[in-house]
Amino acid sequence: DWISLTLEEPEEAKEISCSRVFTEPTLDGDLSDWEDVEGAVIMLTGANGGLPYPGGYSSIKCTYDNNNIYFAFEVPGKYRFNTTDNHLCASIGTMWKVGPLADYRNMGGCPVILGGTYGSKCDGVPETCYPYRVDLGAHWELKTTEMGVLYEGNRTSGTGNDPIANNDDEYAVTPYCRPDDDDADAADDWSGAWLHTSPDSSDGGSYVFEMRRPLTTESVISDVQLYAGETYDFGFAYWDPYENEETGWSKAGHYVTGQSQDWISLTLEEPEEAKEISCSRVFTEPTLDGDLSD
């Protein structure tokens, strides 16, 4: 008789754990230094329609050290790139809950500003909307960049705008009010590199985005502040350059985490502290030079 063969779907993560590391990853798009980090398997869905991303499951890996948080985002999809049109390149963004009333689906959902042009920068955020703030970090559009190159943020710029790599640090209170970080302590705090694993192939491969941000920043108005042992409301978004064969992605056509409905939890896990120390027997003494490779 027949035997059953089932293609099991991976169990989708309900939360993301960021592990503590002592060696920071090299941000170059090569994920070989992330091999020991367990990733969260995520099915991205349309922000407005809720349909699954046609490319399949994505992966999010996260680590942190004393100073920074690091991400490795991997999204399957065909390569596309254009040096004059961001819509014909892949794009990503992260979203964090800052204000206590911030809603996931409406990028904050401040009732004072629930109309206008979708994705507008807007001229200013009224203070009545501050409880609805979300931090939009690493909103990256790629047309001015190259694969495998690290683009550093600018922590003294006074703005979240990135005029070189367009890896902007923004915040929002609705989809109709999304300015670059613009308070007195604003800066572009995100650095990153990207690549595609099969840029010469007509199909297949994945986009890889490696990102870094300081755990704490100068701006408590527009940036979430991150601490070991704490859990945060988080979201990730991807704009597919093949959403439309001719025009690429649209602002409202992005795919997001949380089944398009809600935040997912992201926790900076504290390492388990050792209760004892074991000294192993060696037959070759280490060289005392400050280099720990031996």
Side-chain angles (χ1 to χ4, degrees):
D1 201 358
W2 300 98
I3 58 174
S4 297
L5 183 148
T6 303
L7 274 62
E8 299 284 355
E9 297 229 43
E11 184 177 353
E12 188 171 1
K14 302 293 190 298
E15 58 186 29
I16 298 171
S17 294
C18 299
S19 55
R20 176 73 166 81
V21 295
F22 295 92
T23 302
E24 67 178 89
T26 301
L27 303 189
D28 55 6
D30 179 356
L31 297 184
S32 58
D33 48 358
W34 290 82
E35 289 180 354
D36 295 332
V37 179
E38 185 176 355
V41 176
I42 299 291
M43 174 54 76
L44 301 173
T45 55
N48 292 313
L51 294 177
Y53 171 59
Y57 287 92
S58 301
S59 169
I60 299 177
K61 294 185 175 183
C62 178
T63 62
Y64 73 99
D65 57 21
N66 285 341
N67 301 308
N68 300 304
I69 189 168
Y70 307 93
F71 285 99
F73 303 109
E74 187 169 7
V75 182
K78 290 192 300 180
Y79 176 71
R80 193 177 201 182
F81 189 80
N82 187 295
T83 58
T84 62
D85 190 346
N86 278 315
H87 300 84
L88 301 178
C89 308
S91 180
I92 64 165
T94 68
M95 185 165 74
W96 309 73
K97 183 176 182 178
V98 176
L101 301 180
D103 175 60
Y104 179 71
R105 283 186 55 108
N106 291 306
M107 291 171 61
C110 179
V112 176
I113 312 174
L114 277 179
T117 303
Y118 192 98
S120 171
K121 291 287 187 180
C122 78
D123 295 327
V125 176
E127 288 193 16
T128 53
C129 285
Y130 277 16
Y132 299 87
R133 285 168 295 147
V134 294
D135 177 5
L136 304 177
H139 186 189
W140 201 2
E141 299 175 353
L142 300 179
K143 73 176 184 180
T144 62
T145 65
E146 297 179 13
M147 282 197 292
V149 176
L150 171 60
Y151 294 91
E152 294 280 3
N154 186 340
R155 302 202 68 193
T156 61
S157 63
T159 175
N161 182 50
D162 179 354
I164 298 174
N166 206 17
N167 183 8
D168 290 344
D169 202 345
E170 304 167 347
Y171 70 112
V173 291
T174 75
Y176 312 100
C177 188
R178 178 182 56 83
D180 296 320
D181 287 5
D182 56 5
D183 60 272
D185 298 312
D188 176 22
D189 290 300
W190 285 86
S191 303
W194 72 276
L195 63 70
H196 192 276
T197 59
S198 300
D200 299 322
S201 175
S202 60
D203 56 17
S206 296
Y207 280 95
V208 173
F209 298 86
E210 284 189 281
M211 312 301 298
R212 178 186 71 224
R213 199 211 83 164
L215 294 175
T216 59
T217 72
E218 295 297 323
S219 176
V220 297
I221 293 177
S222 54
D223 291 335
V224 65
Q225 305 300 308
L226 305 173
Y227 301 95
E230 299 296 322
T231 298
Y232 300 89
D233 289 328
F234 175 79
F236 170 74
Y238 175 72
W239 284 260
D240 178 11
Y242 284 100
E243 178 193 339
N244 182 286
E245 190 66 35
E246 293 184 3
T247 59
W249 53 259
S250 62
K251 287 183 178 180
H254 53 298
Y255 295 89
V256 297
T257 51
Q259 297 294 316
S260 310
Q261 299 296 318
D262 205 355
W263 305 97
I264 57 176
S265 296
L266 183 148
T267 301
L268 275 62
E269 302 286 356
E270 293 206 79
E272 184 177 351
E273 189 172 357
K275 302 296 191 296
E276 59 183 34
I277 298 173
S278 297
C279 298
S280 56
R281 177 73 165 85
V282 297
F283 296 93
T284 302
E285 68 176 87
T287 301
L288 306 185
D289 58 2
D291 180 356
L292 300 183
S293 59
D294 48 0

